[in-house]
Amino acid sequence: MALFLLTTDQKTLLRTLLGFIEDGKLKEPIVPFPAEKSANQFVIHIRGEESFRFNKISDLDSLCDAGLLRYRWNRLGNGKLYYVTKVAATAGANDINAPPEPFGENLSLALLVATLSGGQVTLEGIKDSKTVGDIADDPVLRHTAVSHLIASLQKTAEQLLPWPEFRSYHKLTQQLEQLLLLPRPKISELQPLFSQLATPQTELATWPQLWAHLYPLLLIAHYQTK
């Protein structure tokens, strides 16, 4: 998942955790516990201060998807222990809110797709000279590129995933296509879709073939949501 797809709450959570660690008030692993008086909140114990409260345990997993945290299971296998990655420290130092630049806006989308797929996927009707920015700005070209990539992604996923998983995966791709055809889709709606599509439950060997489709779509999404 790209950093720009993180929600404001997730960025704030990471920034807060990094601050506690830098001040020596929090040591890894980071261990969240359910809050005693609220079923909807979680707490992290902070040295010398009141425990830090936050609302969604899934935000920590989203930070893991973005490569900013990693986790391992505790000895009982019923809870996750989180660790900050080197990527998180760099992102914190460079302002997490700032999207990466240039993030592929000037890349030829057709050539990018061909390169990532090893020549197995081509964008019919899209000239090599058309960049990601060109396509994202043009409703007709965007429709052509997105529809083609989604159809190819669905075909690839059907070959790689078990049927029950493919049915769920196919529904997610349809939702993603609908959002990317909007003039300005919402990051909060794109984020969970990219996260689920990029990490299916099956073997990791399928990931590169799926990502060859998802990364170009992610670039288009980034440009649309700037």
Side-chain angles (χ1 to χ4, degrees):
M1 179 193 302
L3 295 185
F4 84 95
L5 285 175
L6 293 174
T7 66
T8 299
D9 286 345
Q10 289 161 0
K11 293 175 183 177
T12 300
L13 175 59
L14 177 61
R15 191 179 294 107
T16 302
L17 295 177
L18 290 174
F20 284 137
I21 292 174
E22 184 177 349
D23 293 341
K25 298 178 180 179
L26 177 64
K27 290 187 176 181
E28 299 173 278
I30 300 168
V31 185
F33 298 95
E36 295 181 359
K37 297 182 180 180
S38 175
N40 298 321
Q41 280 195 326
F42 293 83
V43 297
I44 295 174
H45 296 317
I46 305 300
R47 181 180 300 175
E49 292 188 14
E50 292 185 5
S51 295
F52 170 66
R53 291 175 174 265
F54 63 104
N55 293 325
K56 295 180 181 178
I57 193 69
S58 60
D59 283 347
L60 291 176
D61 293 320
S62 293
L63 293 173
C64 288
D65 291 339
L68 300 166
L69 298 181
R70 61 181 179 84
Y71 72 87
R72 66 176 176 83
W73 291 96
N74 63 20
R75 292 182 180 179
L76 298 178
N78 59 2
K80 294 179 180 179
L81 309 177
Y82 295 88
Y83 298 81
V84 173
T85 67
K86 292 181 179 179
V87 176
T90 302
N94 293 330
D95 183 3
I96 299 166
N97 286 314
E101 295 295 343
F103 205 79
E105 292 172 13
N106 297 318
L107 290 176
S108 164
L109 188 67
L111 293 178
L112 174 64
V113 170
T115 300
L116 291 175
S117 66
Q120 297 300 307
V121 182
T122 57
L123 289 181
E124 297 179 8
I126 303 293
K127 296 180 180 180
D128 289 352
S129 60
K130 293 297 181 181
T131 67
V132 172
D134 294 333
I135 292 169
D137 279 337
D138 187 317
V140 176
L141 289 178
R142 188 173 72 249
H143 186 282
T144 300
V146 169
S147 298
H148 189 92
L149 285 168
I150 291 292
S152 183
L153 174 61
Q154 292 169 341
K155 182 178 180 180
T156 301
E158 185 175 12
Q159 297 171 347
L160 296 173
L161 304 179
W163 176 248
E165 186 175 353
F166 169 70
R167 291 179 61 185
S168 300
Y169 198 90
H170 188 272
K171 291 180 180 179
L172 293 173
T173 62
Q174 290 178 314
Q175 295 174 35
L176 179 62
E177 181 176 14
Q178 292 174 357
L179 288 176
L180 291 179
L181 294 181
L182 297 175
R184 188 164 294 277
K186 297 179 180 178
I187 291 178
S188 60
E189 295 177 344
L190 288 170
Q191 177 196 10
L193 289 177
F194 274 112
S195 179
Q196 293 176 75
L197 289 170
T199 54
Q201 298 301 310
T202 192
E203 297 179 6
L204 290 178
T206 65
W207 188 86
Q209 296 179 65
L210 298 176
W211 193 243
H213 300 80
L214 290 171
Y215 184 66
L217 292 168
L218 182 63
L219 292 179
I220 293 173
H222 167 73
Y223 192 91
Q224 288 180 270
T225 55
K226 285 200 311 178

